[in-house]
Amino acid sequence: QLQLVESGGGLVQPGGSLRLSCAASGFSLDYYSVGWFRQAPGKEREGVSCINDSDDNTNDAESVKGRFTISRDSAKNTVYLQMNSLKPEDTAVYYCAATPGSRLFKLCIPRAADYWGQGTQVTVSS
């Protein structure tokens, strides 16, 4: 059974950092592009950062470039999202998603994702 489980969310002050984890079970993430998405109340789900299956190239939203970094640890079958310099507008439920091959990396949009995790809440507030 393919499963993605996110962790690492929480409450952080503006300017702080968090690291989200997306652990996979039932399949190897090495053959999947993986993405982080977020959804704030009243807004559509949006792509944050996606990583390619074959070369670990990344595709990042303009709003997070220079602040967020997506990475992969094949030994742990886990993808991370390091979030620095957090802003109140980063507050959302963050989801990881995976798709075989590079389609999710190239598009980094929700409809390109085949498998989803349950989400983890990130709140940036003083």
Side-chain angles (χ1 to χ4, degrees), residues 26-49:
F27 67 110
S28 172
L29 285 177
D30 285 352
Y31 305 103
Y32 288 70
S33 51
V34 180
W36 285 98
F37 298 81
R38 66 187 180 186
Q39 188 166 19
K43 294 188 177 181
E44 293 186 355
R45 193 171 298 190
E46 62 176 359
V48 175
S49 185

mmCIF file with all atom_site columns, all heavy atoms in Angstrom, residues 26-49:
data_model
loop_
_atom_site.group_PDB
_atom_site.id
_atom_site.type_symbol
_atom_site.label_atom_id
_atom_site.label_alt_id
_atom_site.label_comp_id
_atom_site.label_asym_id
_atom_site.label_entity_id
_atom_site.label_seq_id
_atom_site.pdbx_PDB_ins_code
_atom_site.Cartn_x
_atom_site.Cartn_y
_atom_site.Cartn_z
_atom_site.occupancy
_atom_site.B_iso_or_equiv
_atom_site.pdbx_formal_charge
_atom_site.auth_seq_id
_atom_site.auth_comp_id
_atom_site.auth_asym_id
_atom_site.auth_atom_id
_atom_site.pdbx_PDB_model_num
ATOM 1   N N   . GLY A 1 26 ? 5.799   1.547  1.163   1.00 0.00 ? 26 GLY A N   1
ATOM 2   C CA  . GLY A 1 26 ? 5.135   0.767  0.126   1.00 0.00 ? 26 GLY A CA  1
ATOM 3   C C   . GLY A 1 26 ? 5.683   0.988  -1.270  1.00 0.00 ? 26 GLY A C   1
ATOM 4   O O   . GLY A 1 26 ? 5.283   0.294  -2.208  1.00 0.00 ? 26 GLY A O   1
ATOM 5   N N   . PHE A 1 27 ? 6.589   1.940  -1.425  1.00 0.00 ? 27 PHE A N   1
ATOM 6   C CA  . PHE A 1 27 ? 7.210   2.199  -2.726  1.00 0.00 ? 27 PHE A CA  1
ATOM 7   C C   . PHE A 1 27 ? 8.466   3.031  -2.511  1.00 0.00 ? 27 PHE A C   1
ATOM 8   O O   . PHE A 1 27 ? 8.626   3.666  -1.468  1.00 0.00 ? 27 PHE A O   1
ATOM 9   C CB  . PHE A 1 27 ? 6.246   2.912  -3.685  1.00 0.00 ? 27 PHE A CB  1
ATOM 10  C CG  . PHE A 1 27 ? 5.885   4.316  -3.283  1.00 0.00 ? 27 PHE A CG  1
ATOM 11  C CD1 . PHE A 1 27 ? 6.346   5.396  -4.012  1.00 0.00 ? 27 PHE A CD1 1
ATOM 12  C CD2 . PHE A 1 27 ? 5.067   4.567  -2.191  1.00 0.00 ? 27 PHE A CD2 1
ATOM 13  C CE1 . PHE A 1 27 ? 6.005   6.686  -3.657  1.00 0.00 ? 27 PHE A CE1 1
ATOM 14  C CE2 . PHE A 1 27 ? 4.712   5.849  -1.826  1.00 0.00 ? 27 PHE A CE2 1
ATOM 15  C CZ  . PHE A 1 27 ? 5.189   6.918  -2.561  1.00 0.00 ? 27 PHE A CZ  1
ATOM 16  N N   . SER A 1 28 ? 9.348   3.056  -3.530  1.00 0.00 ? 28 SER A N   1
ATOM 17  C CA  . SER A 1 28 ? 10.572  3.839  -3.450  1.00 0.00 ? 28 SER A CA  1
ATOM 18  C C   . SER A 1 28 ? 10.378  5.192  -4.116  1.00 0.00 ? 28 SER A C   1
ATOM 19  O O   . SER A 1 28 ? 10.006  5.280  -5.287  1.00 0.00 ? 28 SER A O   1
ATOM 20  C CB  . SER A 1 28 ? 11.722  3.104  -4.142  1.00 0.00 ? 28 SER A CB  1
ATOM 21  O OG  . SER A 1 28 ? 12.858  3.946  -4.226  1.00 0.00 ? 28 SER A OG  1
ATOM 22  N N   . LEU A 1 29 ? 10.663  6.243  -3.373  1.00 0.00 ? 29 LEU A N   1
ATOM 23  C CA  . LEU A 1 29 ? 10.553  7.595  -3.922  1.00 0.00 ? 29 LEU A CA  1
ATOM 24  C C   . LEU A 1 29 ? 11.590  7.890  -4.998  1.00 0.00 ? 29 LEU A C   1
ATOM 25  O O   . LEU A 1 29 ? 11.474  8.895  -5.700  1.00 0.00 ? 29 LEU A O   1
ATOM 26  C CB  . LEU A 1 29 ? 10.671  8.629  -2.806  1.00 0.00 ? 29 LEU A CB  1
ATOM 27  C CG  . LEU A 1 29 ? 9.455   8.803  -1.901  1.00 0.00 ? 29 LEU A CG  1
ATOM 28  C CD1 . LEU A 1 29 ? 9.765   9.810  -0.796  1.00 0.00 ? 29 LEU A CD1 1
ATOM 29  C CD2 . LEU A 1 29 ? 8.225   9.229  -2.683  1.00 0.00 ? 29 LEU A CD2 1
ATOM 30  N N   . ASP A 1 30 ? 12.595  7.048  -5.132  1.00 0.00 ? 30 ASP A N   1
ATOM 31  C CA  . ASP A 1 30 ? 13.653  7.283  -6.115  1.00 0.00 ? 30 ASP A CA  1
ATOM 32  C C   . ASP A 1 30 ? 13.109  7.371  -7.532  1.00 0.00 ? 30 ASP A C   1
ATOM 33  O O   . ASP A 1 30 ? 13.717  8.007  -8.390  1.00 0.00 ? 30 ASP A O   1
ATOM 34  C CB  . ASP A 1 30 ? 14.700  6.173  -6.043  1.00 0.00 ? 30 ASP A CB  1
ATOM 35  C CG  . ASP A 1 30 ? 15.603  6.310  -4.839  1.00 0.00 ? 30 ASP A CG  1
ATOM 36  O OD1 . ASP A 1 30 ? 15.514  7.345  -4.139  1.00 0.00 ? 30 ASP A OD1 1
ATOM 37  O OD2 . ASP A 1 30 ? 16.386  5.386  -4.577  1.00 0.00 ? 30 ASP A OD2 1
ATOM 38  N N   . TYR A 1 31 ? 11.984  6.714  -7.804  1.00 0.00 ? 31 TYR A N   1
ATOM 39  C CA  . TYR A 1 31 ? 11.431  6.675  -9.155  1.00 0.00 ? 31 TYR A CA  1
ATOM 40  C C   . TYR A 1 31 ? 10.248  7.619  -9.328  1.00 0.00 ? 31 TYR A C   1
ATOM 41  O O   . TYR A 1 31 ? 9.519   7.541  -10.313 1.00 0.00 ? 31 TYR A O   1
ATOM 42  C CB  . TYR A 1 31 ? 11.023  5.236  -9.483  1.00 0.00 ? 31 TYR A CB  1
ATOM 43  C CG  . TYR A 1 31 ? 12.160  4.272  -9.293  1.00 0.00 ? 31 TYR A CG  1
ATOM 44  C CD1 . TYR A 1 31 ? 12.226  3.452  -8.177  1.00 0.00 ? 31 TYR A CD1 1
ATOM 45  C CD2 . TYR A 1 31 ? 13.205  4.217  -10.216 1.00 0.00 ? 31 TYR A CD2 1
ATOM 46  C CE1 . TYR A 1 31 ? 13.286  2.582  -7.988  1.00 0.00 ? 31 TYR A CE1 1
ATOM 47  C CE2 . TYR A 1 31 ? 14.266  3.351  -10.026 1.00 0.00 ? 31 TYR A CE2 1
ATOM 48  C CZ  . TYR A 1 31 ? 14.304  2.545  -8.912  1.00 0.00 ? 31 TYR A CZ  1
ATOM 49  O OH  . TYR A 1 31 ? 15.354  1.695  -8.718  1.00 0.00 ? 31 TYR A OH  1
ATOM 50  N N   . TYR A 1 32 ? 10.107  8.516  -8.359  1.00 0.00 ? 32 TYR A N   1
ATOM 51  C CA  . TYR A 1 32 ? 8.990   9.447  -8.356  1.00 0.00 ? 32 TYR A CA  1
ATOM 52  C C   . TYR A 1 32 ? 9.497   10.877 -8.244  1.00 0.00 ? 32 TYR A C   1
ATOM 53  O O   . TYR A 1 32 ? 10.468  11.148 -7.521  1.00 0.00 ? 32 TYR A O   1
ATOM 54  C CB  . TYR A 1 32 ? 8.063   9.178  -7.163  1.00 0.00 ? 32 TYR A CB  1
ATOM 55  C CG  . TYR A 1 32 ? 7.235   7.924  -7.278  1.00 0.00 ? 32 TYR A CG  1
ATOM 56  C CD1 . TYR A 1 32 ? 7.827   6.671  -7.190  1.00 0.00 ? 32 TYR A CD1 1
ATOM 57  C CD2 . TYR A 1 32 ? 5.859   7.993  -7.462  1.00 0.00 ? 32 TYR A CD2 1
ATOM 58  C CE1 . TYR A 1 32 ? 7.067   5.523  -7.293  1.00 0.00 ? 32 TYR A CE1 1
ATOM 59  C CE2 . TYR A 1 32 ? 5.096   6.848  -7.559  1.00 0.00 ? 32 TYR A CE2 1
ATOM 60  C CZ  . TYR A 1 32 ? 5.709   5.618  -7.478  1.00 0.00 ? 32 TYR A CZ  1
ATOM 61  O OH  . TYR A 1 32 ? 4.955   4.480  -7.574  1.00 0.00 ? 32 TYR A OH  1
ATOM 62  N N   . SER A 1 33 ? 8.863   11.781 -8.948  1.00 0.00 ? 33 SER A N   1
ATOM 63  C CA  . SER A 1 33 ? 9.045   13.188 -8.588  1.00 0.00 ? 33 SER A CA  1
ATOM 64  C C   . SER A 1 33 ? 8.102   13.477 -7.427  1.00 0.00 ? 33 SER A C   1
ATOM 65  O O   . SER A 1 33 ? 7.000   12.911 -7.337  1.00 0.00 ? 33 SER A O   1
ATOM 66  C CB  . SER A 1 33 ? 8.798   14.122 -9.764  1.00 0.00 ? 33 SER A CB  1
ATOM 67  O OG  . SER A 1 33 ? 7.566   13.863 -10.384 1.00 0.00 ? 33 SER A OG  1
ATOM 68  N N   . VAL A 1 34 ? 8.577   14.325 -6.524  1.00 0.00 ? 34 VAL A N   1
ATOM 69  C CA  . VAL A 1 34 ? 7.857   14.600 -5.275  1.00 0.00 ? 34 VAL A CA  1
ATOM 70  C C   . VAL A 1 34 ? 7.683   16.103 -5.139  1.00 0.00 ? 34 VAL A C   1
ATOM 71  O O   . VAL A 1 34 ? 8.584   16.876 -5.465  1.00 0.00 ? 34 VAL A O   1
ATOM 72  C CB  . VAL A 1 34 ? 8.626   14.043 -4.067  1.00 0.00 ? 34 VAL A CB  1
ATOM 73  C CG1 . VAL A 1 34 ? 7.871   14.329 -2.764  1.00 0.00 ? 34 VAL A CG1 1
ATOM 74  C CG2 . VAL A 1 34 ? 8.848   12.534 -4.227  1.00 0.00 ? 34 VAL A CG2 1
ATOM 75  N N   . GLY A 1 35 ? 6.537   16.495 -4.656  1.00 0.00 ? 35 GLY A N   1
ATOM 76  C CA  . GLY A 1 35 ? 6.290   17.919 -4.490  1.00 0.00 ? 35 GLY A CA  1
ATOM 77  C C   . GLY A 1 35 ? 5.695   18.263 -3.143  1.00 0.00 ? 35 GLY A C   1
ATOM 78  O O   . GLY A 1 35 ? 5.054   17.419 -2.499  1.00 0.00 ? 35 GLY A O   1
ATOM 79  N N   . TRP A 1 36 ? 5.927   19.476 -2.727  1.00 0.00 ? 36 TRP A N   1
ATOM 80  C CA  . TRP A 1 36 ? 5.260   20.048 -1.560  1.00 0.00 ? 36 TRP A CA  1
ATOM 81  C C   . TRP A 1 36 ? 4.258   21.076 -2.057  1.00 0.00 ? 36 TRP A C   1
ATOM 82  O O   . TRP A 1 36 ? 4.585   21.924 -2.906  1.00 0.00 ? 36 TRP A O   1
ATOM 83  C CB  . TRP A 1 36 ? 6.257   20.707 -0.620  1.00 0.00 ? 36 TRP A CB  1
ATOM 84  C CG  . TRP A 1 36 ? 7.056   19.728 0.179   1.00 0.00 ? 36 TRP A CG  1
ATOM 85  C CD1 . TRP A 1 36 ? 8.302   19.266 -0.078  1.00 0.00 ? 36 TRP A CD1 1
ATOM 86  C CD2 . TRP A 1 36 ? 6.632   19.082 1.384   1.00 0.00 ? 36 TRP A CD2 1
ATOM 87  N NE1 . TRP A 1 36 ? 8.691   18.370 0.896   1.00 0.00 ? 36 TRP A NE1 1
ATOM 88  C CE2 . TRP A 1 36 ? 7.677   18.241 1.804   1.00 0.00 ? 36 TRP A CE2 1
ATOM 89  C CE3 . TRP A 1 36 ? 5.478   19.138 2.159   1.00 0.00 ? 36 TRP A CE3 1
ATOM 90  C CZ2 . TRP A 1 36 ? 7.610   17.460 2.955   1.00 0.00 ? 36 TRP A CZ2 1
ATOM 91  C CZ3 . TRP A 1 36 ? 5.396   18.355 3.308   1.00 0.00 ? 36 TRP A CZ3 1
ATOM 92  C CH2 . TRP A 1 36 ? 6.459   17.524 3.693   1.00 0.00 ? 36 TRP A CH2 1
ATOM 93  N N   . PHE A 1 37 ? 3.063   21.004 -1.526  1.00 0.00 ? 37 PHE A N   1
ATOM 94  C CA  . PHE A 1 37 ? 1.969   21.909 -1.861  1.00 0.00 ? 37 PHE A CA  1
ATOM 95  C C   . PHE A 1 37 ? 1.410   22.488 -0.570  1.00 0.00 ? 37 PHE A C   1
ATOM 96  O O   . PHE A 1 37 ? 1.622   21.932 0.508   1.00 0.00 ? 37 PHE A O   1
ATOM 97  C CB  . PHE A 1 37 ? 0.874   21.157 -2.626  1.00 0.00 ? 37 PHE A CB  1
ATOM 98  C CG  . PHE A 1 37 ? 1.346   20.597 -3.942  1.00 0.00 ? 37 PHE A CG  1
ATOM 99  C CD1 . PHE A 1 37 ? 2.052   19.392 -3.982  1.00 0.00 ? 37 PHE A CD1 1
ATOM 100 C CD2 . PHE A 1 37 ? 1.099   21.264 -5.114  1.00 0.00 ? 37 PHE A CD2 1
ATOM 101 C CE1 . PHE A 1 37 ? 2.505   18.884 -5.193  1.00 0.00 ? 37 PHE A CE1 1
ATOM 102 C CE2 . PHE A 1 37 ? 1.547   20.759 -6.329  1.00 0.00 ? 37 PHE A CE2 1
ATOM 103 C CZ  . PHE A 1 37 ? 2.250   19.567 -6.356  1.00 0.00 ? 37 PHE A CZ  1
ATOM 104 N N   . ARG A 1 38 ? 0.695   23.581 -0.673  1.00 0.00 ? 38 ARG A N   1
ATOM 105 C CA  . ARG A 1 38 ? 0.077   24.155 0.523   1.00 0.00 ? 38 ARG A CA  1
ATOM 106 C C   . ARG A 1 38 ? -1.281  24.730 0.184   1.00 0.00 ? 38 ARG A C   1
ATOM 107 O O   . ARG A 1 38 ? -1.544  25.125 -0.955  1.00 0.00 ? 38 ARG A O   1
ATOM 108 C CB  . ARG A 1 38 ? 0.978   25.232 1.142   1.00 0.00 ? 38 ARG A CB  1
ATOM 109 C CG  . ARG A 1 38 ? 1.173   26.483 0.294   1.00 0.00 ? 38 ARG A CG  1
ATOM 110 C CD  . ARG A 1 38 ? 2.204   27.386 0.944   1.00 0.00 ? 38 ARG A CD  1
ATOM 111 N NE  . ARG A 1 38 ? 2.435   28.613 0.157   1.00 0.00 ? 38 ARG A NE  1
ATOM 112 C CZ  . ARG A 1 38 ? 3.372   29.502 0.455   1.00 0.00 ? 38 ARG A CZ  1
ATOM 113 N NH1 . ARG A 1 38 ? 4.188   29.307 1.483   1.00 0.00 ? 38 ARG A NH1 1
ATOM 114 N NH2 . ARG A 1 38 ? 3.505   30.582 -0.300  1.00 0.00 ? 38 ARG A NH2 1
ATOM 115 N N   . GLN A 1 39 ? -2.112  24.763 1.213   1.00 0.00 ? 39 GLN A N   1
ATOM 116 C CA  . GLN A 1 39 ? -3.455  25.311 1.054   1.00 0.00 ? 39 GLN A CA  1
ATOM 117 C C   . GLN A 1 39 ? -3.810  26.118 2.280   1.00 0.00 ? 39 GLN A C   1
ATOM 118 O O   . GLN A 1 39 ? -3.889  25.578 3.387   1.00 0.00 ? 39 GLN A O   1
ATOM 119 C CB  . GLN A 1 39 ? -4.479  24.204 0.819   1.00 0.00 ? 39 GLN A CB  1
ATOM 120 C CG  . GLN A 1 39 ? -5.852  24.723 0.449   1.00 0.00 ? 39 GLN A CG  1
ATOM 121 C CD  . GLN A 1 39 ? -6.750  23.638 -0.109  1.00 0.00 ? 39 GLN A CD  1
ATOM 122 O OE1 . GLN A 1 39 ? -6.506  22.445 0.083   1.00 0.00 ? 39 GLN A OE1 1
ATOM 123 N NE2 . GLN A 1 39 ? -7.791  24.043 -0.817  1.00 0.00 ? 39 GLN A NE2 1
ATOM 124 N N   . ALA A 1 40 ? -4.003  27.415 2.060   1.00 0.00 ? 40 ALA A N   1
ATOM 125 C CA  . ALA A 1 40 ? -4.424  28.311 3.132   1.00 0.00 ? 40 ALA A CA  1
ATOM 126 C C   . ALA A 1 40 ? -5.952  28.381 3.147   1.00 0.00 ? 40 ALA A C   1
ATOM 127 O O   . ALA A 1 40 ? -6.600  28.110 2.133   1.00 0.00 ? 40 ALA A O   1
ATOM 128 C CB  . ALA A 1 40 ? -3.826  29.695 2.915   1.00 0.00 ? 40 ALA A CB  1
ATOM 129 N N   . PRO A 1 41 ? -6.546  28.761 4.280   1.00 0.00 ? 41 PRO A N   1
ATOM 130 C CA  . PRO A 1 41 ? -8.011  28.837 4.357   1.00 0.00 ? 41 PRO A CA  1
ATOM 131 C C   . PRO A 1 41 ? -8.582  29.747 3.273   1.00 0.00 ? 41 PRO A C   1
ATOM 132 O O   . PRO A 1 41 ? -8.107  30.869 3.077   1.00 0.00 ? 41 PRO A O   1
ATOM 133 C CB  . PRO A 1 41 ? -8.247  29.420 5.750   1.00 0.00 ? 41 PRO A CB  1
ATOM 134 C CG  . PRO A 1 41 ? -7.059  29.009 6.535   1.00 0.00 ? 41 PRO A CG  1
ATOM 135 C CD  . PRO A 1 41 ? -5.911  29.054 5.576   1.00 0.00 ? 41 PRO A CD  1
ATOM 136 N N   . GLY A 1 42 ? -9.573  29.248 2.556   1.00 0.00 ? 42 GLY A N   1
ATOM 137 C CA  . GLY A 1 42 ? -10.229 30.040 1.531   1.00 0.00 ? 42 GLY A CA  1
ATOM 138 C C   . GLY A 1 42 ? -9.467  30.171 0.231   1.00 0.00 ? 42 GLY A C   1
ATOM 139 O O   . GLY A 1 42 ? -9.907  30.892 -0.674  1.00 0.00 ? 42 GLY A O   1
ATOM 140 N N   . LYS A 1 43 ? -8.324  29.487 0.129   1.00 0.00 ? 43 LYS A N   1
ATOM 141 C CA  . LYS A 1 43 ? -7.518  29.585 -1.087  1.00 0.00 ? 43 LYS A CA  1
ATOM 142 C C   . LYS A 1 43 ? -7.352  28.216 -1.733  1.00 0.00 ? 43 LYS A C   1
ATOM 143 O O   . LYS A 1 43 ? -7.533  27.178 -1.088  1.00 0.00 ? 43 LYS A O   1
ATOM 144 C CB  . LYS A 1 43 ? -6.149  30.185 -0.775  1.00 0.00 ? 43 LYS A CB  1
ATOM 145 C CG  . LYS A 1 43 ? -6.205  31.633 -0.309  1.00 0.00 ? 43 LYS A CG  1
ATOM 146 C CD  . LYS A 1 43 ? -4.811  32.214 -0.206  1.00 0.00 ? 43 LYS A CD  1
ATOM 147 C CE  . LYS A 1 43 ? -4.847  33.686 0.176   1.00 0.00 ? 43 LYS A CE  1
ATOM 148 N NZ  . LYS A 1 43 ? -3.476  34.279 0.253   1.00 0.00 ? 43 LYS A NZ  1
ATOM 149 N N   . GLU A 1 44 ? -6.982  28.217 -2.997  1.00 0.00 ? 44 GLU A N   1
ATOM 150 C CA  . GLU A 1 44 ? -6.728  26.973 -3.693  1.00 0.00 ? 44 GLU A CA  1
ATOM 151 C C   . GLU A 1 44 ? -5.373  26.403 -3.287  1.00 0.00 ? 44 GLU A C   1
ATOM 152 O O   . GLU A 1 44 ? -4.473  27.140 -2.869  1.00 0.00 ? 44 GLU A O   1
ATOM 153 C CB  . GLU A 1 44 ? -6.753  27.200 -5.210  1.00 0.00 ? 44 GLU A CB  1
ATOM 154 C CG  . GLU A 1 44 ? -8.125  27.564 -5.754  1.00 0.00 ? 44 GLU A CG  1
ATOM 155 C CD  . GLU A 1 44 ? -8.143  27.626 -7.260  1.00 0.00 ? 44 GLU A CD  1
ATOM 156 O OE1 . GLU A 1 44 ? -7.075  27.481 -7.877  1.00 0.00 ? 44 GLU A OE1 1
ATOM 157 O OE2 . GLU A 1 44 ? -9.235  27.821 -7.824  1.00 0.00 ? 44 GLU A OE2 1
ATOM 158 N N   . ARG A 1 45 ? -5.257  25.086 -3.435  1.00 0.00 ? 45 ARG A N   1
ATOM 159 C CA  . ARG A 1 45 ? -3.977  24.445 -3.173  1.00 0.00 ? 45 ARG A CA  1
ATOM 160 C C   . ARG A 1 45 ? -2.977  24.892 -4.250  1.00 0.00 ? 45 ARG A C   1
ATOM 161 O O   . ARG A 1 45 ? -3.314  24.948 -5.439  1.00 0.00 ? 45 ARG A O   1
ATOM 162 C CB  . ARG A 1 45 ? -4.143  22.926 -3.176  1.00 0.00 ? 45 ARG A CB  1
ATOM 163 C CG  . ARG A 1 45 ? -2.979  22.163 -2.615  1.00 0.00 ? 45 ARG A CG  1
ATOM 164 C CD  . ARG A 1 45 ? -3.298  20.688 -2.449  1.00 0.00 ? 45 ARG A CD  1
ATOM 165 N NE  . ARG A 1 45 ? -4.391  20.485 -1.496  1.00 0.00 ? 45 ARG A NE  1
ATOM 166 C CZ  . ARG A 1 45 ? -4.763  19.308 -1.018  1.00 0.00 ? 45 ARG A CZ  1
ATOM 167 N NH1 . ARG A 1 45 ? -4.118  18.214 -1.417  1.00 0.00 ? 45 ARG A NH1 1
ATOM 168 N NH2 . ARG A 1 45 ? -5.751  19.203 -0.175  1.00 0.00 ? 45 ARG A NH2 1
ATOM 169 N N   . GLU A 1 46 ? -1.740  25.163 -3.801  1.00 0.00 ? 46 GLU A N   1
ATOM 170 C CA  . GLU A 1 46 ? -0.737  25.655 -4.737  1.00 0.00 ? 46 GLU A CA  1
ATOM 171 C C   . GLU A 1 46 ? 0.576   24.897 -4.574  1.00 0.00 ? 46 GLU A C   1
ATOM 172 O O   . GLU A 1 46 ? 0.889   24.400 -3.485  1.00 0.00 ? 46 GLU A O   1
ATOM 173 C CB  . GLU A 1 46 ? -0.477  27.153 -4.520  1.00 0.00 ? 46 GLU A CB  1
ATOM 174 C CG  . GLU A 1 46 ? 0.077   27.503 -3.157  1.00 0.00 ? 46 GLU A CG  1
ATOM 175 C CD  . GLU A 1 46 ? 0.420   28.981 -3.011  1.00 0.00 ? 46 GLU A CD  1
ATOM 176 O OE1 . GLU A 1 46 ? 0.256   29.744 -3.976  1.00 0.00 ? 46 GLU A OE1 1
ATOM 177 O OE2 . GLU A 1 46 ? 0.871   29.357 -1.912  1.00 0.00 ? 46 GLU A OE2 1
ATOM 178 N N   . GLY A 1 47 ? 1.352   24.838 -5.647  1.00 0.00 ? 47 GLY A N   1
ATOM 179 C CA  . GLY A 1 47 ? 2.655   24.197 -5.596  1.00 0.00 ? 47 GLY A CA  1
ATOM 180 C C   . GLY A 1 47 ? 3.675   25.088 -4.914  1.00 0.00 ? 47 GLY A C   1
ATOM 181 O O   . GLY A 1 47 ? 3.702   26.302 -5.155  1.00 0.00 ? 47 GLY A O   1
ATOM 182 N N   . VAL A 1 48 ? 4.485   24.500 -4.066  1.00 0.00 ? 48 VAL A N   1
ATOM 183 C CA  . VAL A 1 48 ? 5.538   25.219 -3.352  1.00 0.00 ? 48 VAL A CA  1
ATOM 184 C C   . VAL A 1 48 ? 6.899   24.867 -3.940  1.00 0.00 ? 48 VAL A C   1
ATOM 185 O O   . VAL A 1 48 ? 7.663   25.736 -4.343  1.00 0.00 ? 48 VAL A O   1
ATOM 186 C CB  . VAL A 1 48 ? 5.497   24.877 -1.852  1.00 0.00 ? 48 VAL A CB  1
ATOM 187 C CG1 . VAL A 1 48 ? 6.662   25.509 -1.113  1.00 0.00 ? 48 VAL A CG1 1
ATOM 188 C CG2 . VAL A 1 48 ? 4.167   25.310 -1.240  1.00 0.00 ? 48 VAL A CG2 1
ATOM 189 N N   . SER A 1 49 ? 7.204   23.579 -3.989  1.00 0.00 ? 49 SER A N   1
ATOM 190 C CA  . SER A 1 49 ? 8.497   23.137 -4.488  1.00 0.00 ? 49 SER A CA  1
ATOM 191 C C   . SER A 1 49 ? 8.399   21.675 -4.892  1.00 0.00 ? 49 SER A C   1
ATOM 192 O O   . SER A 1 49 ? 7.782   20.885 -4.177  1.00 0.00 ? 49 SER A O   1
ATOM 193 C CB  . SER A 1 49 ? 9.577   23.315 -3.414  1.00 0.00 ? 49 SER A CB  1
ATOM 194 O OG  . SER A 1 49 ? 10.856  23.000 -3.920  1.00 0.00 ? 49 SER A OG  1
#
